[in-house]
């Protein structure tokens, strides 16, 4: 059979070492799955339960490999369902390639089912995806595909999704003979490679300022998730030692530096720690590494940062005034800084425990956030990967949890989409179950609101027997919205409390044989965690919590303090 467009696409993905294509099948993408079958399942076609989750699987896969994830969807509602997931990847600069089927070209503008050509008042898919992608193109000719695919992959590696819209008849067409062998002659950079290398000369000015600041006082580093994307963790640790610096981490970058390492001062921003504020208040300069310092990462730090010289290296300039050097290769840039600094590594001592935020005592039913997170901390397997979802649950995990050595940590703060962690954790589990440094257990921690949105992706984890534990804090509410109703709208009503649900029992009934537990008593939590983490495949743990507990989240605590001081 002649080599088809879909065969070319699948082979390109396989040649880059990508092991899974995540998606949901449908009439206008089914030829791609046919090509996956013909290729012997390499890469494997993983069918999710919803396209949003398929997109977050590709996102989680990319974050854990440091490379690119691939998602496939059919036209119409399937394509539109990708939007929120791709928007998260766009905002968080995660490389994802989206292959989206379209109706046949002969029916565009003629009433085709799920027409999104933009003709005859149909939805324009290109216009829909362009604002949330680094590259978006409609493929209309097989001869143009290689160049379009190269451009899409390059754009994705620059930081964010790339979208190819491919009509069904184009997918089925044979590739021109002159292009079939092209792949072997034009192998793209390895999946984790950076396409834009930083100039080796430009960090010198930053190094000069750091040396001056080091002579007059202490440098504080705040590191972001680009360190993980650029695989620059070792270089960051060397920089901290060379500068004898204090270091804080953006909330979505807790895995880029040892949470018990020298100089560690905790998390920055709205879920952050007092130690970092104190370090900045006594510092001579602040260096941002791979973070633009959005509001969630700078809340509570603004006053201290205003008084300091702020330096920055990263893909984009930060949101506050700073001396910035652009880098899409932090490992190389930090190596250049280290060569310039030439300092002897030192070791800064700090207390072994960080100071948690003071939260109001909760009197309602269920377990308390801090007690639960600290119990999870004690029970986590070595090298566990943590995916936390948005809301009060996520704020508690960011603030209280220390990431295990060799483990990854992800919280979606780009869009903050509820339910992200279920798909992203599954995508990461596919990537990490055969990691070179040994198997990793993935732990998804989410609230019941997030579970009701996308928790049924548990089925995908069960189908593929992934080593993943789903921990759901069940307070029968959108608890962060309940807290906002109480603090900002005088607690006169609630639209955000749910009828009680029994998630552990329900999941156990749906999936016989799946280890599923419910904990309502703190004394039973350690045993339930041990059983959940000891499972070889998936497991599920429901923990009952209080919807009225205020999490460690600075805006809420500031609002409470303000209300107490107001006559």
């Amino acid at each position: 059979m002649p080599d088809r467009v879909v065969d070319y696409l699948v082979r390109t993905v396989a040649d880059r070492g990508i092991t899974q294509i995540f998606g949901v099948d449908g009439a206008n993408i089914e030829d791609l799955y046919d090509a996956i079958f013909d290729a012997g399942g390499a890469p494997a076609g993983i069918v999710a339960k919803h396209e949003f989750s398929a997109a977050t699987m590709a996102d989680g896969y990319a974050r854990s490999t440091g490379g690119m994830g691939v998602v496939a969807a059919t036209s119409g509602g399937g394509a539109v369902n990708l939007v929120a997931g791709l928007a998260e990847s766009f905002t968080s600069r995660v490389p994802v390639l989206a292959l989206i089927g379209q109706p046949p070209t002969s029916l565009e503008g003629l009433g085709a089912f799920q027409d999104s050509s933009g003709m005859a008042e149909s939805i324009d898919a290109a216009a829909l995806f362009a604002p949330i992608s680094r590259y978006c193109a409609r493929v209309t000719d097989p001869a143009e595909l290689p160049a379009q695919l190269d451009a899409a992959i390059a754009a994705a590696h620059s930081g964010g999704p790339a979208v190819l819209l491919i009509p069904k008849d184009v997918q089925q067409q044979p590739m021109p003979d002159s292009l079939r062998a092209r792949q072997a002659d034009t192998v793209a950079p390895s999946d984790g490679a950076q396409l834009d290398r930083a100039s080796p000369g430009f960090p010198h000015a930053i190094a000069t300022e750091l040396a001056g600041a080091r002579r007059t006082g202490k440098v504080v580093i705040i590191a972001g998730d680009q360190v993980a994307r650029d695989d620059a963790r070792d270089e960051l640790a060397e920089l901290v030692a060379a500068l004898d610096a204090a270091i804080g981490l953006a909330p979505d970058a807790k895995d880029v530096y040892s949470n018990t390492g020298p100089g560690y001062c905790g998390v920055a921003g709205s879920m952050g720690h007092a130690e970092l504020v104190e370090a900045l208040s006594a510092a001579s300069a602040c260096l941002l590494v791979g973070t633009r310092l959005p509001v969630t990462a700078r809340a509570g730090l603004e006053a201290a940062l205003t008084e300091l010289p702020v330096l920055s290296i990263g893909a984009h300039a930060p949101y506050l005034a700073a001396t910035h050097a652009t880098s899409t290769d932090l490992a190389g840039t930090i190596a250049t800084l280290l060569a310039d600094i030439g300092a002897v590594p030192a070791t800064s001592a700090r207390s072994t425990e960080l100071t948690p935020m003071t939260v109001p005592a909760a009197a309602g039913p269920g377990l308390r956030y801090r007690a639960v997170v600290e119990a999870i901390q004690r029970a986590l397997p070595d090298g566990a990967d943590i995916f936390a979802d948005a809301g009060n649950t996520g704020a508690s995990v960011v603030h209280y949890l220390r990431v295990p050595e060799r483990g990854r940590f992800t919280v979606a703060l780009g869009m903050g989409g509820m339910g992200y962690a279920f798909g992203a954790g599954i995508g990461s589990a596919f990537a990490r179950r055969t990691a070179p440094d040994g198997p990793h257990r993935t732990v998804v921690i989410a609230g019941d609101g997030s579970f009701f949105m996308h928790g049924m992706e548990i089925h995908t984890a069960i189908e593929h027997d992934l080593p993943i534990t789903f921990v759901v804090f069940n307070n029968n509410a959108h608890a962060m919205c309940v807290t906002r109703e109480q603090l900002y709208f005088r607690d006169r009503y609630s639209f955000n409390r749910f009828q009680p649900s029994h998630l552990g029992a329900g999941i156990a009934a749906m999936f016989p044989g799946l280890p599923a537990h419910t904990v309502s008593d703190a004394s039973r939590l350690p045993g339930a965690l041990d059983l959940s983490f000891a499972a070889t495949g998936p497991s599920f743990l429901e923990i009952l919590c209080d919807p009225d507990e205020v999490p460690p989240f600075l805006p809420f605590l500031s609002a409470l303090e303000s209300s107490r001081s107001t006559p």
Side-chain angles (χ1 to χ4, degrees):
M1 184 172 66
D3 216 16
R4 300 165 295 174
V5 163
V6 286
D7 298 314
Y8 185 93
L9 289 167
V10 169
R11 192 167 62 249
T12 299
V13 169
D15 287 347
R16 297 186 68 84
I18 297 168
T19 54
Q20 277 85 25
I21 295 177
F22 303 99
V24 177
D25 202 355
N28 286 326
I29 201 63
E30 62 192 1
D31 295 278
L32 183 73
Y33 285 92
D34 183 59
I36 291 172
F37 176 81
D38 285 344
I46 306 301
V47 173
K49 306 304 168 286
H50 191 279
E51 288 84 2
F52 169 82
S53 292
T56 62
M57 287 178 196
D59 181 290
Y61 178 94
R63 294 192 200 219
S64 284
T65 60
M68 185 176 72
V70 181
V71 63
T74 190
S75 52
V80 173
N81 283 342
L82 291 175
V83 168
L86 294 182
E88 169 61 39
S89 300
F90 180 84
T91 307
S92 295
R93 300 188 63 251
V94 179
V96 171
L97 174 64
L99 306 173
I100 303 177
Q102 299 288 280
T105 54
S106 61
L107 295 177
E108 290 177 345
L110 297 175
F113 179 60
Q114 298 179 335
D115 189 359
S116 54
S117 64
M119 301 178 185
E121 298 184 344
S122 65
I123 290 174
D124 187 341
L128 176 68
F129 288 105
I132 56 168
S133 62
R134 305 296 175 189
Y135 180 90
C136 181
R138 187 181 295 272
V139 180
T140 59
D141 185 343
E144 299 172 355
L145 177 62
Q148 289 176 313
L149 186 55
D150 285 350
I153 291 172
H157 277 295
S158 74
V163 176
L164 292 179
L165 304 165
I166 315 174
K168 183 176 178 69
D169 56 327
V170 175
Q171 295 176 46
Q172 296 170 334
Q173 289 178 33
M175 289 295 292
D177 291 338
S178 61
L179 297 174
R180 291 181 190 174
R182 180 178 179 275
Q183 286 169 307
D185 300 326
T186 59
V187 176
S190 65
D191 193 47
Q194 295 296 326
L195 299 181
D196 296 315
R197 304 296 292 184
S199 166
F202 77 80
H204 294 311
I206 299 289
T208 300
E209 294 203 41
L210 286 173
R214 181 68 186 92
R215 285 192 295 269
T216 59
K218 190 86 168 179
V219 173
V220 174
I221 294 173
I222 301 178
D225 65 335
Q226 189 187 339
V227 175
R229 289 198 302 275
D230 290 2
D231 194 18
R233 293 177 177 85
D234 291 344
E235 291 79 3
L236 175 65
E238 291 179 35
L239 183 63
V240 172
L243 292 171
D244 190 21
I247 179 169
L249 304 175
D252 55 353
K254 289 189 66 174
D255 63 345
V256 304
Y257 186 80
S258 172
N259 290 187
T260 56
Y264 181 61
C265 292
V267 177
S270 56
M271 296 160 275
H273 294 93
E275 282 80 359
L276 183 58
V277 180
E278 293 168 3
L280 284 169
S281 298
S284 56
C286 177
L287 172 65
L288 307 180
V289 180
T291 176
R292 302 187 74 185
L293 216 64
V295 169
T296 52
R298 70 175 187 267
L301 306 180
E302 294 96 334
L305 289 170
T306 300
E307 302 298 321
L308 286 175
V310 179
L311 313 172
S312 169
I313 55 174
H316 296 286
Y319 291 111
L320 72 170
T323 300
H324 175 71
T326 300
S327 171
T328 57
D329 175 25
L330 285 176
T333 300
I334 294 173
T336 301
L337 285 177
L338 288 167
D340 280 358
I341 293 166
V344 177
T347 300
S348 290
R350 70 156 187 83
S351 61
T352 56
E353 296 297 332
L354 296 170
T355 305
M357 292 183 187
T358 301
V359 298
L367 283 68
R368 302 296 168 252
Y369 292 136
R370 180 178 176 182
V372 173
V373 175
E374 289 179 347
I376 292 172
Q377 174 76 65
R378 291 189 292 269
L380 280 174
D382 291 342
D385 299 324
I386 313 298
F387 281 76
D389 224 303
N392 286 4
T393 297
S396 302
V397 173
V398 167
H399 187 68
Y400 295 124
L401 187 79
R402 295 193 311 274
V403 179
E405 299 295 330
R406 300 187 305 113
R408 302 281 169 80
F409 180 86
T410 299
V411 57
L413 295 180
M415 288 286 104
M418 293 176 63
Y420 164 89
F422 290 94
I426 289 170
S428 176
F430 274 110
R432 297 273 279 171
R433 65 177 173 179
T434 56
D437 57 347
H440 293 251
R441 187 156 198 89
T442 301
V443 181
V444 170
I445 308 177
D448 54 315
S450 295
F451 171 83
F452 283 124
M453 289 190 178
H454 293 289
M456 283 300 100
E457 286 301 334
I458 288 172
H459 184 274
T460 305
I462 294 169
E463 186 175 9
H464 295 277
D465 196 31
L466 295 174
I468 183 168
T469 296
F470 299 94
V471 181
V472 176
F473 288 40
N474 186 5
N475 46 31
N476 296 300
H478 281 311
M480 184 163 273
C481 294
V482 169
T483 305
R484 295 183 67 85
E485 288 171 335
Q486 293 170 339
L487 293 178
Y488 304 129
F489 298 95
R490 294 179 286 158
D491 198 18
R492 294 173 297 145
Y493 53 79
S494 181
F495 290 97
N496 293 290
R497 298 179 189 269
F498 307 152
Q499 290 294 318
S501 59
H502 303 283
L503 301 182
I507 289 295
M510 289 180 68
F511 304 113
L514 175 73
H517 310 278
T518 296
V519 172
S520 58
D521 185 298
S523 65
R524 294 187 56 233
L525 181 57
L529 285 166
D530 289 342
L531 288 171
S532 298
F533 294 152
T536 57
S539 59
F540 183 90
L541 177 60
E542 174 193 22
I543 301 173
L544 302 186
C545 298
D546 181 2
D548 296 302
E549 181 178 2
V550 178
F553 187 63
L554 184 60
F556 292 168
L557 300 177
S558 299
L560 275 171
E561 186 65 28
S562 176
S563 67
R564 290 171 182 153
S565 62
T566 301

